[in-house]
């Protein structure tokens, strides 16, 4: 994932979720970026080039203990 793609995705997520503390950091694999809100990692965005289409997949794991903390 290029720096330009990372910047565009970060801008998109900030606008979509109205949250300027969202930030993306490129991962060593080169085809993905880690997504943070503040200092907390919330997921990963991966570049998905399949069937000639260029898209991005956002994966966010939510642990059951995370749900209990909010209750």
């Amino acid at each position: 994932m290029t720096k330009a793609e990372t910047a565009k995705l970060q801008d998109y997520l900030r606008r979509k979720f109205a949250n300027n503390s969202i930030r993306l950091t490129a991962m060593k694999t080169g085809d993905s970026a880690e997504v943070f809100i503040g200092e907390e990692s919330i997921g990963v965005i991966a570049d998905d080039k399949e069937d000639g289409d260029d898209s991005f997949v956002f994966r966010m794991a939510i642990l059951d203990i995370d749900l209990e903390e909010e209750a």
Side-chain angles (χ1 to χ4, degrees):
M1 187 175 301
T2 67
K3 285 186 177 188
E5 288 173 325
T6 303
K8 281 183 180 181
L9 287 165
Q10 178 176 282
D11 184 53
Y12 171 79
L13 291 173
R14 286 178 173 181
R15 285 183 286 113
K16 191 65 161 176
F17 297 110
N19 188 335
N20 285 329
S21 66
I22 293 174
R23 104 186 126 78
L24 273 62
T25 303
M27 297 178 75
K28 292 180 183 179
T29 59
D31 64 345
S32 57
E34 193 166 4
V35 181
F36 292 86
I37 294 181
E39 296 302 314
E40 182 179 2
S41 173
I42 64 162
V44 173
I45 290 186
D47 194 351
D48 184 15
K49 291 182 173 125
E50 212 173 283
D51 300 328
D53 294 328
D54 194 9
S55 61
F56 300 91
V57 177
F58 176 57
R59 293 187 181 100
M60 179 178 175
I62 301 171
L63 304 175
D64 59 349
I65 61 171
D66 292 333
L67 297 175
E68 292 172 7
E69 288 178 6
E70 297 297 321

